[in-house]
Amino acid sequence: MARRRRPHEEEHENTERWLVSYADFITLLFAFFVVMYSLSSINEGKYRVLSQSLVQAFRSASINAGGPTIVVPQAVIPTGPPVPVKRLKANNSRQNEARERSVQKMRDMASHIRRVLEPITGNDQVRVTEGAFGVSVEINASALFSPGEAVLSSDANVALRAVAAVIADSEFPIMVEGHTDSNPINTLRFPSNWELSSARASSVVRLFIESGVSPTRLTAAGYADQRPVADNDTEAGRARNRRVEIMLESRVPANEPEPTAEPELDAPEPGFIVPGAPILTP
């Protein structure tokens, strides 16, 4: 016979069971937003900060005794395969060889230009210098033109055609610059030194083109008296400033540093891991 419940005895209902479901829901919702945030931005710094924060907050922590446990793995950051150091060294070696060939070719051209310009090198009228940016050929204007004129003399034609034969087969860009002294000029053809210097540079460029130099490599510029190399207050200085400069630009790249080995990354554990996202395990 069943025991009859007394009126004062009441069954105590557990009103806190909803907290378990609520905690599970909040955990899953948090994990969902973490995954969405991780997939929305591929930023190594954000991955590391997020991973460290999650590890500190949820390491070895349980929501409840009977619920799921949150395990946060180390973030796996996707990276490309490291370039082997041997390959980088081989590339640098080839670049160094190409650089050496370019420098040697420029030196040979400078020597040839000196030889072909010997007929007009009297009285220090020609200067050939080698620098970090190529070869500079400075020719005094008196060896090329009559005073106040931009028409090349016959001797200058012969010498410059020989220079063109030396540089025609190379690939270096060529800048031809015309310069004058500070004495003003005012003629019908040349109202100022700007027109005179530009016309002299253009005359040399036209001769180079006629001699087989590619026009795409040539540039003509006139600077009048704005770039003197000597004092315009003396006759010797003014004579030095009246000149045509032929610049052969080498454009040789600078030496590159030796490559360093990149640290190898540890292989990730099997399975798909979203960087910075927690893994739910039962």
Side-chain angles (χ1 to χ4, degrees):
M1 183 175 180
R3 181 176 176 270
R4 192 173 184 179
R5 181 180 301 174
R6 297 179 182 180
H8 64 274
E9 292 181 355
E10 297 180 358
E11 182 179 356
H12 294 281
E13 183 179 359
N14 187 359
T15 59
E16 297 181 354
R17 286 185 297 177
W18 65 272
L19 290 175
V20 177
S21 300
Y22 180 77
D24 291 343
F25 172 77
I26 293 298
T27 302
L28 293 175
L29 187 63
F30 175 76
F32 171 78
F33 282 111
V34 168
V35 171
M36 296 299 295
Y37 175 80
S38 300
L39 294 177
S40 65
S41 176
I42 306 176
N43 187 299
E44 181 177 347
K46 291 182 179 180
Y47 287 156
R48 292 181 178 175
V49 172
L50 181 61
S51 175
Q52 293 174 0
S53 300
L54 292 176
V55 169
Q56 294 176 359
F58 296 103
R59 187 189 298 274
S60 301
S62 299
I63 297 298
N64 52 54
T69 301
I70 298 179
V71 179
V72 182
Q74 183 66 28
V76 178
I77 302 172
T79 58
V83 180
V85 176
K86 291 183 179 180
R87 186 187 306 171
L88 293 176
K89 289 184 176 180
N91 292 338
N92 281 352
S93 177
R94 287 193 293 270
Q95 292 176 359
N96 291 335
E97 292 177 0
R99 188 182 301 110
E100 290 294 334
R101 289 194 299 269
S102 178
V103 171
Q104 186 59 43
K105 188 174 183 179
M106 186 67 70
R107 290 174 180 172
D108 294 341
M109 290 177 57
S111 300
H112 292 165
I113 291 173
R114 289 189 182 95
R115 287 198 297 269
V116 300
L117 289 179
E118 285 180 358
I120 60 173
T121 56
N123 299 324
D124 199 23
Q125 291 182 316
V126 177
R127 295 177 175 84
V128 181
T129 57
E130 301 176 38
F133 300 101
V135 175
S136 173
V137 182
E138 179 185 321
I139 307 175
N140 195 274
S142 61
L144 302 176
F145 309 99
S146 299
E149 296 294 335
V151 179
L152 291 166
S153 64
S154 57
D155 292 340
N157 265 280
V158 175
L160 290 179
R161 288 185 186 279
V163 173
V166 174
I167 64 178
D169 294 333
S170 65
E171 70 281 359
F172 304 109
I174 303 169
M175 167 74 77
V176 180
E177 301 176 354
H179 302 270
T180 67
D181 58 21
S182 59
N183 289 337
I185 185 174
N186 187 5
T187 64
L188 184 61
R189 185 178 180 186
F190 306 116
S192 70
N193 282 323
W194 289 103
E195 287 80 10
L196 178 60
S197 61
S198 300
R200 286 179 170 179
S202 299
S203 296
V204 176
V205 166
R206 286 196 301 270
L207 184 141
F208 281 168
I209 295 174
E210 294 172 359
S211 302
V213 181
S214 174
T216 59
R217 298 171 50 203
L218 293 165
T219 303
Y223 293 101
D225 60 338
Q226 298 304 306
R227 296 189 179 184
V229 292
D231 190 0
N232 275 309
D233 294 334
T234 65
E235 180 58 33
R238 289 192 294 271
R240 173 74 189 282
N241 290 331
R242 296 189 295 268
R243 69 195 189 277
V244 171
E245 291 188 14
I246 303 172
M247 304 289 298
L248 280 71
E249 303 175 7
S250 63
R251 296 184 180 179
V252 176
N255 292 329
E256 298 181 357
E258 289 293 330
T260 56
E262 296 184 6
E264 296 184 358
L265 301 177
D266 295 336
E269 296 182 359
F272 178 77
I273 302 177
V274 178
I279 295 179
L280 301 178
T281 59

